Amino acid sequence: MLEQHIQDYFKTFPDERGHFGPYGGRFVGETLMGAIYELEQAYQQYRNDPDFLAEMDKDLSTFVGRPSPLYLAENWTKKLGGAQIYLKREDLNHTGAHKVNNTIGQALLAKRMGKNRIIAETGAGQHGVATATVAARMGMECVVYMGAEDVQRQAQNVYRMKLLGARVVPVESGSRTLKDALNEALRDWVTNVDDTFYIIGTVAGPHPYPAMVRDFQTIIGREAKQQMMEITGKLPDALVACIGGGSNAIGLFHPFIEDRTVAMYGVEGAGHGIETGEHSAPLCAGKPGVLHGNRTYLMQDENGEIIETHSISAGLDYPGVGPEHAWLKDIGRANYVSVTDDEALAAFHDLTRTEGIIPALESSHALAYVNKLAPTMSAEQTIVVNLSGRGDKDMHTVAAMAGLKF
Amino acid sequence: MSRISQCFENLKADGQTALIPYVTAGDPEPWVTVPLLHALVDAGADIIELGIPFSDPMCDGPVIQKACERALKNDVSIKHVMKMVKQFRDKNKETPIVLMGYANPIEAIGYQNFAEQAKDAGVDGVLTVDVPPEESDEFRQIMDDHGIDTIYLVAPTTSPERMETIASYARGFIYYVSIKGVTGAAALQVDEVAEKLSQLREKTNLPLGVGFGIRDGKSAAAVAGVADAVVVGSTLVRCIEEHADRMDELPAAVAGLLAEMRHAINARDLASA
């Protein structure tokens, strides 16, 4: 079965209605359907357009700083005593995370579509900052929706967005986190649909977003593959990435889907522990449903109401996940696991002390899983872990955990 | 003929425009809903839209969001909504009920289960706001099999080609969303609505309802001039919110608001007869 699914993968997914197996699709109110088709048409027109791609490549190179290095974490490898661990350094991108790969692509598309107003949702603030950054550079109006809870815990990123000229709107409805920011951004879009481009930050939302955001993020995996071949002469044995909505993970995984020998691990936030119910791990502990424009695994109660999530990391604090991950889970091509807040925090400190790299709390979840995985592998084997963002934004949270305040 | 179609036939024969109030089931307390529905019928409701509460109502404005939050505080689920409809049907066999909500609570119990419960309770139609025709083949088939009308939305942004598709899928009536925005947002422009409705009438013989942006008797009457049905939601829900701590006065207060709209519509219907 898996073999057939993989053979079909690039021919079939997503289909013309944006389905990955039973997942994905377009579940939005009628008012947005026109805008979604308009976006899909524009994306199909430009995705292989030489001028569009050349402009994007130039921006990724000179503005973002790509390619990002692939770094052998020798000290950490030695400490864990197993597989060799390579870090894909997305934390070194301009604005400090992988998010900018996508916002560059979507903003260039917005420009070609003649839309001068940009909106975005953000959780940790990384996507908001990446959006405000490209909007500032292109002279576009920018409004970022952010859960009021997240505005509090990511105050520094809020200020960065404001410096960049964006208006940050705290969202007070529901659980006051990322999912509510997404609801509010969709409400804005439906109201200002004529002149507004909605830059979704992850591989969720209605078709074509999951496929489009993935395509913009696969630069991560394409580079990593080439770098591994150059450095080690072979493919890695395992890929590890954290999963909130799943954009950095799909960006790393996708170019390796046909390479059967490469194991893939997506790491969700287990929060206080899956058994406590206070987590954000829909692939590990949720069930399929419909939210924010697509069908996917969701954290929900037996009545289909979305339940509040918890993660130490604001970027993982989301009850859904990209539909392509849902499909990769079902066909068994990728493995989805989870680590707790405490495990992620320990990995955060580990990497900081052993390698002199302060990782984002989101990425620390991937690192925490590497802590478990690497020792089970041999020294000839290799792991590529996506260091999707840097930890500067998390100083406040980490200090608070240690009882410090500043 | 479905109860919804019958209702529109009767109104047409009398030269009347349908008035369709929306309330969220279980807002602010579950026990209020059934008396409220009866009060709405007494005040001139022809069809009732009953909202299934959802945690993430992304097509709704703050007024209906808060209504959902109030209902969910009491854990009101589809099961409870069905019970309310059943209880309403004890006394009222005529007024059609349309359930309005989002896909996920319905998916959670399964389309088949939902259809059976709805039929058993006496539900006449269903409108899932985040399920466009493209994603509704299976759902529509199952609702058809159970004699439940699937109501679809048409928006100002809907192209003529899409109107045709939607018209071929729709049952009962078509709900025209009068503004680009969420529920309870801006005031509608009647001439723009009229133009879209005339386009839509070229594609369908179904009655056309208009909702979003109707706030008072004046706007209700203006819409009645161009539509077959006037849908009013946020204005009533705001009134429910204001009476959340005086629930004994709530049904009469909300019904009073609806009655004003009924009078204004009737006056207009009479004048144009």
Side-chain angles (χ1 to χ4, degrees):
Chain A
M1 257 327 249
L2 175 59
E3 198 57 29
Q4 189 59 47
H5 282 311
I6 293 172
Q7 281 175 24
D8 290 345
Y9 208 91
F10 291 90
K11 283 177 261 167
T12 325
F13 297 109
D15 69 13
E16 75 282 1
R17 289 182 175 188
H19 294 132
F20 299 87
Y23 305 109
R26 307 181 184 101
F27 291 88
V28 294
E30 177 58 26
T31 313
L32 284 180
M33 288 304 287
I36 283 168
Y37 279 112
E38 184 191 1
L39 173 61
E40 189 185 340
Q41 202 176 14
Y43 181 56
Q44 290 305 338
Q45 183 185 339
Y46 290 112
R47 59 181 297 195
N48 296 313
D49 176 78
D51 290 342
F52 179 81
L53 294 175
E55 192 175 352
M56 191 163 70
D57 284 350
K58 187 176 167 220
D59 281 357
L60 289 174
S61 150
T62 62
F63 186 65
V64 176
R66 301 205 73 90
S68 69
L70 189 70
Y71 167 78
L72 174 60
E74 286 185 74
N75 298 333
W76 196 33
T77 296
K78 210 164 155 189
K79 189 179 165 200
L80 294 181
Q84 297 168 56
I85 304 160
Y86 286 87
L87 305 179
K88 181 60 176 161
R89 298 290 308 274
E90 292 299 302
D91 62 315
L92 293 178
N93 291 340
H94 179 42
T95 72
H98 72 290
K99 293 292 186 187
V100 73
N101 301 331
N102 167 48
T103 59
I104 294 263
Q106 289 199 50
L108 290 176
L109 200 54
K111 193 171 83 176
R112 279 166 173 72
M113 292 172 74
K115 311 263 183 184
N116 283 316
R117 181 174 179 270
I118 297 290
I119 58 169
E121 85 295 339
T122 196
Q126 292 303 104
H127 174 59
V129 167
T131 303
T133 298
V134 295
R137 179 159 166 265
M138 293 188 181
M140 291 164 156
E141 184 190 346
C142 181
V143 179
V144 179
Y145 292 92
M146 190 168 185
E149 177 91 4
D150 293 335
V151 168
Q152 294 252 317
R153 48 182 177 175
Q154 303 288 344
Q156 200 190 336
N157 269 345
V158 173
Y159 188 58
R160 286 168 82 192
M161 287 184 266
K162 286 180 179 168
L163 284 176
L164 289 160
R167 188 158 67 86
V168 180
V169 181
V171 178
E172 300 283 355
S173 59
S175 59
R176 306 158 85 233
T177 60
L178 179 54
K179 82 170 173 76
D180 311 287
L182 236 149
N183 291 334
E184 212 55 37
L186 284 165
R187 290 178 187 123
D188 179 312
W189 197 23
V190 80
T191 308
N192 303 290
V193 62
D194 294 329
D195 68 341
T196 297
F197 189 107
Y198 180 15
I199 299 189
I200 293 185
T202 192
V203 285
H207 181 62
Y209 283 102
M212 178 174 70
V213 176
R214 173 199 70 199
D215 291 349
F216 290 140
Q217 291 294 359
T218 52
I219 184 87
I220 302 171
R222 284 183 276 128
E223 282 178 8
K225 199 169 184 176
Q226 194 187 341
Q227 289 164 325
M228 279 305 280
M229 294 308 288
E230 283 166 12
I231 299 168
T232 69
K234 60 185 177 96
L235 291 170
D237 296 285
L239 307 173
V240 183
C242 66
I243 300 211
S247 68
N248 90 78
I250 210 80
L252 178 63
F253 292 176
H254 200 261
F256 292 91
I257 284 175
E258 287 179 303
D259 302 311
R260 328 279 200 274
T261 59
V262 181
M264 300 173 177
Y265 299 92
V267 188
E268 296 191 306
H272 295 139
I274 298 282
E275 70 287 354
T276 65
E278 293 171 7
H279 58 82
S280 47
L283 286 167
C284 293
K287 63 172 188 164
V290 173
L291 181 69
H292 294 151
N294 65 98
R295 184 178 286 118
T296 187
Y297 280 84
L298 298 174
M299 305 252 309
Q300 54 181 319
D301 67 16
E302 73 277 11
N303 297 325
E305 306 297 343
I306 306 307
I307 51 183
E308 289 194 13
T309 52
H310 166 81
S311 173
I312 189 175
S313 115
L316 303 188
D317 212 347
Y318 180 66
V321 62
E324 192 163 4
H325 286 295
W327 180 238
L328 289 172
K329 173 190 159 79
D330 281 10
I331 65 172
R333 178 61 188 95
N335 307 291
Y336 294 93
V337 297
S338 65
V339 304
T340 64
D341 286 354
D342 289 346
E343 289 169 324
L345 197 60
F348 170 96
H349 289 294
D350 270 2
L351 195 78
T352 301
R353 289 296 178 93
T354 57
E355 296 291 348
I357 297 171
I358 302 180
L361 282 173
E362 289 77 13
S363 320
S364 299
H365 285 70
L367 301 169
Y369 190 70
V370 171
N371 269 334
K372 301 180 188 183
L373 181 66
T376 69
M377 296 167 68
S378 74
E380 294 75 46
Q381 290 183 300
T382 57
I383 298 173
V384 172
V385 49
N386 199 358
L387 193 62
S388 55
R390 67 181 186 219
D392 306 43
K393 69 179 177 59
D394 295 312
M395 290 303 99
H396 192 79
T397 308
V398 175
M401 296 293 285
L404 300 171
K405 240 186 169 180
F406 56 81
Chain B
M1 186 181 286
S2 78
R3 197 152 29 196
I4 293 173
S5 302
Q6 187 64 58
C7 172
F8 277 106
E9 289 275 309
N10 296 347
L11 289 166
K12 198 177 172 186
D14 297 343
Q16 282 196 321
T17 307
L19 178 57
I20 309 181
Y22 165 95
V23 293
T24 305
D27 171 32
E29 293 280 344
W31 64 264
V32 179
T33 301
V34 175
L36 177 58
L37 299 187
H38 288 303
L40 291 171
V41 173
D42 292 343
D46 299 297
I47 297 173
I48 286 174
E49 275 187 9
L50 187 58
I52 301 169
F54 183 49
S55 52
D56 294 79
M58 63 181 189
C59 303
D60 286 296
V63 173
I64 292 177
Q65 281 175 56
K66 280 190 255 166
C68 285
E69 287 176 16
R70 287 191 294 272
L72 288 174
K73 266 198 186 127
N74 292 302
D75 292 322
V76 173
S77 66
I78 287 179
K79 187 176 65 188
H80 301 108
V81 178
M82 297 299 183
K83 263 187 201 156
M84 292 170 190
V85 176
K86 216 168 187 172
Q87 214 182 322
F88 173 76
R89 282 273 171 261
D90 285 345
K91 286 191 200 160
N92 184 316
K93 309 271 191 254
E94 294 80 39
T95 310
I97 293 215
V98 173
L99 296 185
M100 188 163 180
Y102 291 79
N104 202 52
I106 298 175
E107 294 232 338
I109 63 165
Y111 295 161
Q112 185 72 28
N113 184 2
F114 175 81
E116 284 164 15
Q117 286 191 43
K119 188 181 180 187
D120 179 56
V123 169
D124 302 285
V126 59
L127 198 180
T128 40
V129 290
D130 57 346
V131 185
E134 284 89 334
E135 296 288 351
S136 71
D137 287 344
E138 186 192 351
F139 183 68
R140 188 167 41 91
Q141 187 58 55
I142 292 175
M143 295 306 134
D144 267 355
D145 291 347
H146 289 78
I148 292 167
D149 289 334
T150 41
I151 319 292
Y152 285 92
L153 301 170
V154 167
T157 52
T158 305
S159 67
E161 300 78 54
R162 275 187 73 75
M163 279 186 188
E164 213 151 288
T165 311
I166 293 168
S168 72
Y169 278 48
R171 306 279 185 273
F173 67 99
I174 291 177
Y175 186 136
Y176 181 71
V177 174
S178 67
I179 50 162
K180 293 172 193 164
V182 293
T183 51
L188 58 78
Q189 300 292 323
V190 176
D191 42 345
E192 286 173 20
V193 171
E195 198 189 313
K196 278 284 180 180
L197 292 188
S198 67
Q199 281 181 33
L200 194 49
R201 284 196 202 281
E202 289 169 19
K203 322 273 184 199
T204 182
N205 294 319
L206 285 174
L208 306 180
V210 172
F212 287 40
I214 294 155
R215 303 178 153 180
D216 47 24
K218 197 177 159 208
S219 48
V223 169
V226 296
D228 305 306
V230 176
V231 187
V232 55
S234 295
T235 299
L236 303 181
V237 175
R238 196 175 291 117
C239 180
I240 292 174
E241 181 178 6
E242 285 161 8
H243 288 79
D245 54 352
R246 291 172 282 153
M247 276 182 275
D248 47 332
E249 298 169 25
L250 188 153
V254 180
L257 258 181
L258 192 73
E260 269 175 46
M261 296 184 195
R262 177 82 269 172
H263 292 316
I265 291 171
N266 286 353
R268 199 236 52 111
D269 287 347
L270 267 178
S272 73

